Amino acid sequence: MASLRRLSALLAALGTFSQIPTTYAADTVYISGTGLDGVTRQLAVDRAPALYTGDFGDCLGGESLMNITKFDAGFYYDNSTVLFHLEGATNLQNDSLMLYISVEAYGQNRFSMTVDPCFMNVDSLCPLNASIPITAYALFHIGEQQVSGIPQIAFEIPDFEGFARIQIFSNASQTEIGCFQAVMRNGNTFSQPAAIGPVLGVFTIAAIVASFATAAYGVSIPHMRTHYAHSLSVLAIFETYQSIFFSGALSVNWPSVLPAWWSNFAWSAGLIPALSIVHSVDSFAGVSGNASQVGGAGSTIINNQGGLLQQIYGRSLSTDVPDIYGRSVATDMPNSETKGALDLARRSVILAKRQPYNANNPYDYNWNGDPVTPGMPIPGDWSGFAGDLSELGIPAPDAFTIALIWLLIVLALVAFLVVSFKFVLEGLVKLKWINQDRLQFFRSHWRGYTCMVLLRTLFIAFFSMMVLAMFQISHHGRAGPTALAAIIFVFFMLGVGGLAIYALNFRLRFGKFASEPDRILVQRKTVWKFLPWLVPVRHSQLKEKESVQKPIFSLPFVHWHFMDNDKDRTKVHQDEPYLKRFGWLSARYRLSRWWYFIVWLGYQLIRACFIGGATSSPLAQIYGLFVVDVLSLIIIAAFRPYEGQRNTALAVWLLGLTKIATTGLSIAFLPRFGIDRILATVIGVVIIVMQALLTIAVLILIILGSISSWMSLTRNREYFPSQRLEGVRIKYFEHLERRALDKEAPKKEKPTAKLNPPEPEDKLPDLPKEPYFSVNSVRRISKIEDEDDDFIAEMEPVNASGPSTTPHPLNRTRRVDSVSSRHSVSSLPRGARVHRVSWSSRDFNSWQTTELDRPGTTLAKRLSGHAPSLSETNITGVLKNQASESSFRAYGTVVAGSRPMSPTLEQEERVINKEISS
Ligand SMILES: *[C@@H]1O[C@H](CO)[C@@H](O)[C@H](O)[C@H]1NC(C)=O
Ligand SMILES: *[C@@H]1O[C@H](CO)[C@@H](O)[C@H](O)[C@H]1NC(C)=O
Ligand SMILES: *[C@@H]1O[C@H](CO)[C@@H](O)[C@H](O)[C@H]1NC(C)=O
Ligand SMILES: *[C@@H]1O[C@H](CO)[C@@H](O)[C@H](O)[C@H]1NC(C)=O
Ligand SMILES: *[C@@H]1O[C@H](CO)[C@@H](O)[C@H](O)[C@H]1NC(C)=O
Ligand SMILES: *[C@@H]1O[C@H](CO)[C@@H](O)[C@H](O)[C@H]1NC(C)=O
């Protein structure tokens, strides 16, 4: 019990959990009651008990010889009363009964009592009479001793894991003729979809809007791509929610807290239990039954005068028959101490008359549960995906069809929103409320956008639809939904998968793969200055100073790389036709990892196979998934595919580590380990804490991502609304530009920095506390390198390097790269001169001259004459060009006076670029 208490303290620290609403009518009746703690209080009669039953089902699997419409039990701690209420009908004639009521919590029997209905004057059960409906309503007074098994903590812990069970035994045959089980609750739960769902939804919508805005705003496609790549990936957000929800699809017996927590994320997988949809899907999925009762009483009246023979009903004698008839005792029988309590209970029944239930009286209560919906597992059982879904009220055979319906609804909604956005914009332009050129590109390409948004939605739904389709197929439900699942499975495999392969082939068809021998060298390094560590390095990637170190051992390896037939082909992120067509797949990834979408699809497919397809073999499912998660983290971390840091942080590190930890901890729930249910709940809470932290991280990343996307949208504006963020904005544009070339951040002079790759590059950009940079204050004392001729040549202002307006045919690639560089430069607002590694005083002077000397005519010269090339890898070279160009632009702003940073500028530049490259 101490452990349970500690657990509850932990849970209490996690926050407050809402109590189920109790409606207080105006004419609430109050009574005074003395609780088990000895305190006397005024109590509303219709209050919820400290522990009470929820939904109930038939624990003989639908073979109970009674139809039960009501089974409520409640334990009022505050007036020491146990309430018990049973209603139903039977087809047994003249059978006397014994009732055995028990409460099991956290895997142990905590309370039990044997009740003789005749002793309590429950006429409808004494004896059972087919022509009289069962109405048993009883209140027992109980003492401290009888509930000693139920600790105080059980009344507070969220998602109390337990159930109340009533077993009905026939005196004539001494067999169990009925068993009903109801989940026990105390009103606290982690399942708050009504509160958490909308919060997550609002944040997700913010991320969707940011992502869409960065994709729709602008005129130059490569430029738009760069900014889009740095908005937070909606795919990664949904992947996070879905992976949290589908943690519950593993076939183990979950502690009740977990399905309750996961139910908050079910919407992301399309499992929203709208009653009308569930009901209409029920008949299609073959889920049938009477939702207003449980039990299996036939319609023919059984007169068991001669004794009810168990053989007649083909049922074997229940093994857990309690010692009512002096028979051998089952394993979970209450011990002798509890039996003493039972006798006491029998004696202490204070109110035992049959009491017809009147719904109109003020004693009416609304905390009770209902007969379990057909197709649902027995209440109090949270095993496997069916148990996870039961928290939502979705029968497992319905899950796939419901998700499919919601997917279609979302697709329709998304298409409608994009199209109506376009027409709203047109309307606003007509009314002259916005500029003619506002979002011009989106307005003219709205069909393409609609297609891309729909395809992207399908891409996001890929994982959950695959899991649910495989779950449906592997569970051999009715033919209809199974066939539908097979069709959707094939559609996603061939449709989305085929499209991705086509997108890959579209770029790769003009080339071939080549291999060359390589070696993996394993070197000894030290992490954090003390921890020895082995680092594998590819021989071909070794830098000179690293190769000095002697490797411990090396492995042969083959280095594959792609050889394009046309070496000067436009880079994929500059390739406008490709971006227009397949940007929705490739745009978020780094230049060298643009093909990552195919890896992602393969990875999600493998995960879906384990989660959805292997539910019948839990061992293979969990261990397999664990291996997949560990390997995928290693591989994805090695790829580091995302161009944006926030996406890397979320989709690579946070998500990967949480997946591994969740699956790893889930191994403990495997039946072979047989862990205690309290320990299982503790592990469950650890999982919840981790996933909650992940969720909070997602929300924070959405906020940061929205700020960065907002900056992206102001890239053609001179001033940023927030002065404080101006410096951040400039730094962000610089960063964007560097990442677009797939370059790492400049390395700090820290020898250990390289050993820990995730830290330096994947950390979120820290927002500086104040503007940290001001060009005007740059002063520089000459350095020795200023005297170095080579260096000076490199630092020379652009126009000094000799204008060359006619492009050299061999420089084609270089020019293309320069386009990207210029595009990013145009991101810089006025005054955003990129600071360079070092300024020379001479350079600063000539820069000023340039500014005074209006170089309008030299624009083309500058742009074409000094384009940075990829070969110019040192950051100085790249920044140098930015500096000179931004200086030009700054000048242009002052002189021209018209909206120089407006989209028109981006447009003009593009035109110029076109001219140059043609
Ligand atoms: C305790 O409270 C319940 C619910 O209001 C009520 O039905 C019951 O009669 C009370 N018990 C006593 C002993 O007053
Ligand atoms: C069952 O109820 C009917 C009607 O009240 C009564 O006539 C009959 O005797 C009852 N049977 C038994 C076994 O009590
Ligand atoms: C019901 O059964 C009891 C004993 O099993 C018998 O004594 C009684 O007469 C029966 N009542 C009816 C109405 O059949
Ligand atoms: C049923 O059996 C139990 C245990 O043998 C006994 O205590 C009880 O009185 C019986 N009920 C009836 C109605 O005979
Ligand atoms: C379902 O059960 C209720 C209550 O027992 C009953 O009134 C109703 O007729 C049943 N419906 C069907 C279709 O069996
Ligand atoms: C119990 O329910 C079933 C199914 O609704 C019905 O056919 C049967 O007649 C009911 N039995 C009694 C005794 O009400």
Side-chain angles (χ1 to χ4, degrees), residues 587-638:
R588 281 201 188 277
Y589 305 119
R590 288 199 285 145
L591 185 57
S592 55
R593 302 279 185 265
W594 62 271
W595 38 261
Y596 179 74
F597 53 85
I598 199 82
V599 179
W600 188 89
L601 269 188
Y603 163 56
Q604 297 297 335
L605 184 64
I606 294 172
R607 264 200 120 222
C609 287
F610 278 107
I611 292 179
T615 41
S616 46
S617 43
L619 271 188
Q621 186 186 35
I622 295 192
Y623 285 118
L625 190 65
F626 186 64
V627 170
V628 168
D629 282 344
V630 171
L631 286 183
S632 66
L633 178 65
I634 295 173
I635 294 173
I636 297 175

Side-chain angles (χ1 to χ4, degrees), residues 31-32 44-47 76 79 81 137 139 350:
I31 53 168
S32 106
V45 284
D46 59 353
R47 72 196 180 281
Y76 291 97
N79 71 357
T81 302
Y137 182 80
L139 290 159
I350 52 155

Side-chain angles (χ1 to χ4, degrees), residues 95-98 116-118 125-127 169-172 174 324-326 346:
D95 204 359
S96 51
L97 305 171
M98 287 299 279
D116 181 349
C118 297
L125 292 178
C126 183
F169 296 91
S170 153
N171 263 15
Q174 306 203 344
I324 297 172
Y325 306 106
R346 220 175 297 177

